Amino acid sequence: MTGKYLKQIIDGVPTAVVVIDKNLKAVFSNVAFKNLFPFDKANFLGEITCCAHSSSRCNGGDCKGCQLKEAFTEARLNKKEVNRRIFQKVINGGVNHDVAYSLTVKPLGGALCMGIIDDAFELEIAQELQTAKSIQQRLLPAGNWAGGKRYSYLYVPCRDIGGDLPDVFTVGNSAFGVIADVSGKGISAGMLSAFVKAAYDKTELSPAKAIENLNRKFAALNLDERNYVTVASVRIDEDSITYSMAGHNVPILLKTGTGITRVILNSPPISSWFENPSYYEDVIHYKKGDILVLLTDGVTECKNARGEMFGAEGAIKTLSVSRTAEEFIKNLENNLKNFKSGFDDDITAIAFDL
């Protein structure tokens, strides 16, 4: 009777609990744990936590780098409590999800260890973030051609949800490129970038007027001064580029047969900082075979371990050895990854073959 009531008590606890033996086999799990990790006739740790990578190997205990395995093994061998913040990919409904939770492992003796999972609600949040990430990916440019121009782009968010926006589209015979960088990071930045995607007027031929319209719509949100957006917008016609910039201090780069031109146009960002700001546009000419590049400051302000900045010079150097837009994007991604391991800001670039 005591065992029956004890099980009822543990099953009634809202905290997820699992007991694992030395072979990583689960000998007990309560209802809260099963609700978090639904499984059917699974026995081993990776299987019952729906591990997206190592479930087939958990029976052998050969999951190199597995945070779950390391936590339980450390607690059992050192006979002391271990606390870990677990970041894991799990399979739910046949889809991989990034999840995060707090794990406390306590040795029980006899080679058994009890795992307690807290912040269970965060697991649901992480799954929602994965859905939001998938939606944001669908907002990215879908093709490789616009207005008769071939383009390529790079988008590497530093978190699951990014605050940069690359957009390419066609109006009439012209190709348009828009690159935006919103303030902040994470969920709020992702929501603001989605707003920019929806609010930018793709029927407006003038980049400056399109930015002016965007600023008007942004003002209607009544956000505080901490929220702002920098934008660079271009319209590519038969032999000219019309461009406008809003607070975007990263230069537009144009590679021609004679070298690389850095294009800068100072104007205020999309924000609540100014009343009725003015936005201007200018025109530059190009020849067939030139390359046009738009960047965000995540590229130019990327710092390595020594505190050195990649800078506009790093982008220019990369562009100077690239023969096509696609080659530039590939070279840029490789150079940035070699320059710094892991990014602190979103990395975004668009390149056009003119």
Side-chain angles (χ1 to χ4, degrees), residues 45-351:
L45 185 61
E47 294 172 332
I48 63 176
T49 56
C50 314
C51 177
H53 297 299
S54 306
S55 62
S56 63
R57 299 202 302 265
C58 260
N59 191 7
D62 186 24
C63 301
K64 185 177 181 181
C66 174
Q67 295 173 303
L68 287 168
K69 176 197 170 185
E70 289 176 353
F72 279 96
T73 301
E74 182 180 336
R76 178 173 59 83
L77 294 178
N78 296 333
K79 297 181 180 179
K80 66 177 183 179
E81 180 178 307
V82 172
N83 296 287
R84 287 282 189 277
R85 191 71 181 154
I86 302 296
F87 298 91
Q88 175 188 355
K89 286 187 179 293
V90 303
I91 298 176
N92 193 343
V95 179
N96 286 5
H97 297 276
D98 292 313
V99 301
Y101 51 86
S102 297
L103 173 69
T104 300
V105 181
K106 297 183 177 182
L108 301 179
L112 297 177
C113 289
M114 177 175 64
I116 302 168
I117 292 179
D118 291 317
D119 298 336
F121 183 65
E122 187 168 335
L123 183 69
E124 298 177 20
I125 293 176
Q127 291 172 345
E128 291 298 323
L129 281 174
Q130 185 64 29
T131 300
K133 179 180 179 180
S134 176
I135 292 172
Q136 190 174 62
Q137 289 292 322
R138 298 185 184 196
L139 297 178
L140 298 175
N144 304 110
W145 291 86
K149 305 299 181 185
R150 187 172 180 84
Y151 71 88
S152 188
Y153 72 92
L154 173 66
Y155 176 67
V156 183
C158 67
R159 298 184 183 179
D160 283 338
I161 307 297
D164 282 2
L165 173 71
D167 202 7
V168 180
F169 54 94
T170 301
V171 179
N173 295 321
S174 301
F176 285 75
V178 179
I179 196 163
D181 185 358
V182 310
S183 57
K185 294 180 177 65
I187 297 174
S188 61
M191 293 180 68
L192 195 51
S193 68
F195 160 79
V196 173
K197 171 80 173 183
Y200 190 90
D201 186 357
K202 293 185 177 181
T203 66
E204 176 56 65
L205 297 180
S206 165
K209 289 183 179 178
I211 290 176
E212 188 176 303
N213 293 339
L214 179 62
N215 186 73
R216 192 178 302 113
K217 293 175 183 178
F218 180 90
L221 295 177
N222 291 318
L223 300 177
D224 63 35
E225 66 278 358
R226 293 172 297 178
N227 297 280
Y228 62 91
V229 185
T230 68
V231 183
S233 175
V234 298
R235 185 186 76 235
I236 306 172
D237 297 311
E238 187 175 351
D239 61 357
S240 65
I241 301 163
T242 304
Y243 64 94
S244 184
M245 305 172 79
H248 203 79
N249 60 0
V250 183
I252 294 172
L253 305 179
L254 177 63
K255 181 182 180 180
T256 66
T258 58
I260 296 175
T261 302
R262 299 172 53 160
V263 179
I264 298 176
L265 184 64
N266 294 323
S267 56
I270 306 296
S271 67
S272 60
W273 303 347
F274 309 97
E275 273 192 48
N276 302 317
S278 297
Y279 297 100
Y280 306 95
E281 63 189 27
D282 206 344
V283 178
I284 50 177
H285 293 274
Y286 70 87
K287 293 182 179 179
K288 185 175 177 60
D290 293 348
I291 301 174
L292 177 69
V293 170
L294 308 178
L295 306 164
T296 61
D297 61 9
V299 174
T300 56
E301 296 180 4
C302 179
K303 289 184 179 180
N304 62 16
R306 297 188 297 274
E308 299 167 334
M309 197 173 289
F310 190 77
E313 292 74 17
I316 290 171
K317 184 177 180 180
T318 303
L319 182 56
S320 67
V321 298
S322 302
R323 295 165 295 178
T324 65
E326 183 179 12
E327 186 175 309
F328 167 75
I329 291 297
K330 289 180 179 178
N331 289 341
L332 181 66
E333 183 173 14
N334 289 334
N335 289 348
L336 284 168
K337 288 182 176 178
N338 290 333
F339 185 76
K340 179 178 175 59
S341 175
F343 300 123
D344 303 319
D345 197 0
D346 301 328
I347 302 293
T348 307
I350 308 173

Side-chain angles (χ1 to χ4, degrees), residues 5-25:
Y5 287 120
L6 181 60
K7 185 179 184 305
Q8 289 180 349
I9 291 171
I10 297 177
D11 276 338
V13 173
T15 301
V17 177
V18 63
V19 178
I20 304 295
D21 68 12
K22 64 179 180 179
N23 297 316
L24 299 182
K25 184 175 181 179

